[in-house]
Amino acid sequence: MRKAAGPGGPLLGPGVGASADGRGLIRRRRRRWLRYGAGAVGVVVLATGVTGWVVYAKLDGNITPDDAAAAELARYAKERPTSLVKDAQNVLLIGSDSRSGDGNRKYGRDSGTERSDTTILLHLAAGRHSATAVSVPRDLMVDVPGCLRPDGKRTEPMFAMFNSAFQTGGSACTIRTVEKLTGVRIDHHVVVDFSGFKDMVDAVDGVEVCLKKPIDDKDAGLRLPAGKVTLDGEQALGYVRVRKSLGNGSDTDRMDRQQRFLGALVNKVQSNDVLLNPVKLYPVLDAATSSLTTDPDLASLRGLYELVRGLRDIPAERVQFLTVPRESYLYDANRDQLVEPEAEKLFERLRTDAPVRVSKRIPTNSAPAESADYGPFLSRAAGRAASGAVSPTPPAPTFRGNTAAEDDCG
C-alpha cells in the first residue's frame, strides 16, 4: 500500500526509487552530477587536446626548412666527410647579419646579401655527456669551394675570408667550407638572424653578464653601468656584436664575449627551470622556432626535440666554448690563419669524439697545453711500462676557452 507523503503531497513508494530516509533522491542527484562532471571533463580534455594541437602546429610551422641547402649538399654527397662515431652529432650554428625583414632593417641597409656574423661548430658527444662549441673566426683565410650563388650561377673555388662563404652560397657553401677545413661531418645546421637572437633573449627574461667597466657606445646602442647587468634582447645583440668600445677591439675579444654570453644563456635556461615549466617554455619555443632556418630533418618540433632532449642533463662545466687555434695571417695582420698542428689536433678529436679540455690560461707558445700535460705523464708511464703495468689513456689536450659554469662576476 502506498503512503501519502503529506496533505496534498504525491504518493511515493519503493517502486519509484524513494526511500524513507531520502537516500534514493541523493543517489539520483549524484548520478546526475557524475554525468555532468564526466561531460565537463570530456570537454576540458577535448579542449586541452585541441589547444595542444594548435600550439604544436603553430610551433611546428614556425621553423623554416632549408631545402635549397639540402639539395646542394646532396649534389656533393660523395665528397663530404663521413661520420666516424655513432650517436655523436655535429651541428653548425650560423648567425646571419642579414638586414632583410622587418626586425633586421634598422641594423643597416639591406644590400641583398648576408654574411655569417658568427659561426659555431657544436659537437655533441655520443651519450651526450658533454658539448663543445668551437667558434670559427669570420676573418679566417680558408679554401672556399665552388658554390651555387643565389642568382643560379656557380663560383670558382677561391682562397678567401671564411664569412664570404655564406655571402657567396649561403648555408650549403658554409657547411662545405667547414667540412673542407676540419674534416668534420656536419649533421645538422641552424641559421638565426638578428631579430631571432633578440627574441630568444627576451623570451628568457634577459641574461645577466658582468661588466668590468661601464659601456657608452652610440653605434651599438649601449649605455650600461659596470657590474652585474641583465641584458634584454636589444642590449644583448649590441653586446655580442660591438667591437670598438669593448676589450681591445679585436674579433678575438668579441668571440670570447660571445662565448661567455652563450654560457650565461645556458645557465639561465637551466637554472630557471625553463625546460620543465610549460608557461616559461612556450615563449622560448615560440621565439626559437620563429627565428630558425634549419636542415629539413630539424625543421620540426620532433626533430628539435630529438636533438636537444639529451642536452638537459649535461652539467654546465661540461658545456665548453673555445675558438679554433689561429694567429694573424702572414700577409695581412687584419686576417687570421690556423695555427698548426694544434688546429688539426682539435679537429681530429672532434672527428673521433675524443675529449677536449678548456682553460682560460694555457702555457705560452702552445695552443693546446700538451707540453705541460704530457711530460709528467710520459715519465710515469715509462716507469709503469717497465714494470709491466698497463698505461692509461693520455690526458686530453687543453685549449684556451671557458665553460658555461664559469661566472665572470664571481
Side-chain angles (χ1 to χ4, degrees), residues 358-369 398-401:
V358 298
S359 175
K360 288 184 177 180
R361 294 179 178 83
I362 58 175
T364 307
N365 299 325
S366 176
T398 303
F399 296 84
R400 180 178 174 276

Side-chain angles (χ1 to χ4, degrees), residues 28-150:
R28 283 194 300 162
R29 288 176 177 173
R30 183 179 298 159
R31 286 195 297 269
R32 187 182 305 130
W33 279 110
L34 285 174
R35 288 196 300 271
Y36 293 160
V41 170
V43 171
V44 170
V45 170
L46 179 61
T48 302
V50 171
T51 301
W53 172 251
V54 171
V55 169
Y56 180 90
K58 179 183 185 302
L59 296 177
D60 197 59
N62 282 348
I63 309 170
T64 302
D66 199 348
D67 295 321
E72 180 70 356
L73 292 173
R75 177 187 177 96
Y76 293 95
K78 292 183 178 179
E79 71 176 37
R80 299 182 65 194
T82 57
S83 298
L84 300 180
V85 180
K86 184 180 180 181
D87 191 42
Q89 293 276 296
N90 296 295
V91 184
L92 197 64
L93 309 176
I94 304 172
S96 166
D97 70 354
S98 171
R99 268 66 172 181
S100 64
D102 293 337
N104 299 312
R105 288 174 182 153
K106 65 179 179 179
Y107 300 108
R109 182 178 60 86
D110 179 14
S111 63
T113 63
E114 53 185 333
R115 294 194 178 191
S116 49
D117 198 56
T118 300
T119 303
I120 295 175
L121 173 56
L122 176 63
H123 175 75
L124 307 176
R128 301 300 182 267
H129 56 78
S130 68
T132 302
V134 182
S135 295
V136 182
R138 62 181 187 178
D139 294 337
L140 186 69
M141 299 302 294
V142 297
D143 289 311
V144 179
C147 296
L148 180 66
R149 291 167 47 92

Side-chain angles (χ1 to χ4, degrees), residues 127-381:
R128 301 300 182 267
H129 56 78
S130 68
T132 302
V134 182
S135 295
V136 182
R138 62 181 187 178
D139 294 337
L140 186 69
M141 299 302 294
V142 297
D143 289 311
V144 179
C147 296
L148 180 66
R149 291 167 47 92
D151 61 8
K153 297 180 181 178
R154 292 193 173 272
T155 63
E156 293 295 325
M158 59 183 175
F159 186 66
M161 290 196 313
F162 171 73
N163 70 342
S164 64
F166 194 72
Q167 180 184 27
T168 299
S171 52
C173 192
T174 301
I175 291 168
R176 292 178 58 216
T177 300
V178 170
E179 290 184 340
K180 185 177 181 65
L181 178 72
T182 66
V184 174
R185 171 78 177 213
I186 303 301
D187 301 293
H188 300 290
H189 70 276
V190 176
V191 182
V192 60
D193 60 19
F194 291 158
S195 180
F197 176 83
K198 291 192 308 176
D199 290 345
M200 278 290 296
V201 174
D202 286 334
V204 297
D205 296 325
V207 174
E208 184 180 80
V209 298
C210 187
L211 304 177
K212 295 180 179 180
K213 298 180 180 179
I215 302 175
D216 189 358
D217 190 314
K218 294 182 180 179
D219 292 338
L222 285 179
R223 189 170 185 177
L224 302 168
K228 292 185 178 181
V229 181
T230 298
L231 305 180
D232 62 22
E234 189 73 38
Q235 293 168 328
L237 180 61
Y239 177 74
V240 299
R241 296 190 69 239
V242 68
R243 295 177 66 169
K244 296 179 181 178
S245 60
L246 286 180
N248 57 16
S250 68
D251 201 39
T252 299
D253 192 76
R254 190 178 75 139
M255 283 187 294
D256 288 346
R257 197 182 326 120
Q258 290 171 349
Q259 292 168 2
R260 292 193 299 271
F261 181 86
L262 290 175
L265 178 59
V266 169
N267 270 327
K268 180 63 177 289
V269 171
Q270 289 184 340
S271 64
N272 211 26
D273 294 329
V274 170
L275 298 178
L276 301 177
N277 188 332
V279 176
K280 295 180 180 179
L281 182 59
Y282 175 77
V284 174
L285 288 177
D286 190 34
T289 54
S290 297
S291 66
L292 298 184
T293 298
T294 76
D295 58 278
D297 288 341
L298 277 188
S300 68
L301 282 183
R302 180 180 295 275
L304 286 176
Y305 174 75
E306 290 296 325
L307 177 69
V308 304
R309 68 175 178 173
L311 305 182
R312 293 176 298 182
D313 299 325
I314 298 179
E317 61 270 17
R318 292 186 179 178
V319 179
Q320 306 178 121
F321 300 90
L322 66 148
T323 300
V324 297
R326 71 7 173 150
E327 61 190 0
S328 294
Y329 180 48
L330 182 61
Y331 302 105
D332 187 344
N334 294 318
R335 302 290 179 263
D336 291 327
Q337 64 185 23
L338 293 179
V339 173
E340 298 292 6
E342 287 78 9
E344 176 53 31
K345 291 176 182 177
L346 171 62
F347 300 151
E348 181 182 9
R349 299 191 79 81
L350 296 178
R351 289 193 295 267
T352 59
D353 197 32
V356 170
R357 294 190 301 176
V358 298
S359 175
K360 288 184 177 180
R361 294 179 178 83
I362 58 175
T364 307
N365 299 325
S366 176
E370 293 179 282
S371 58
D373 288 339
Y374 286 131
F377 166 79
L378 291 174
S379 61
R380 292 194 301 270

Side-chain angles (χ1 to χ4, degrees), residues 1-4 11-15:
M1 178 182 293
R2 295 179 180 176
K3 297 180 180 180
L11 295 176
L12 299 175

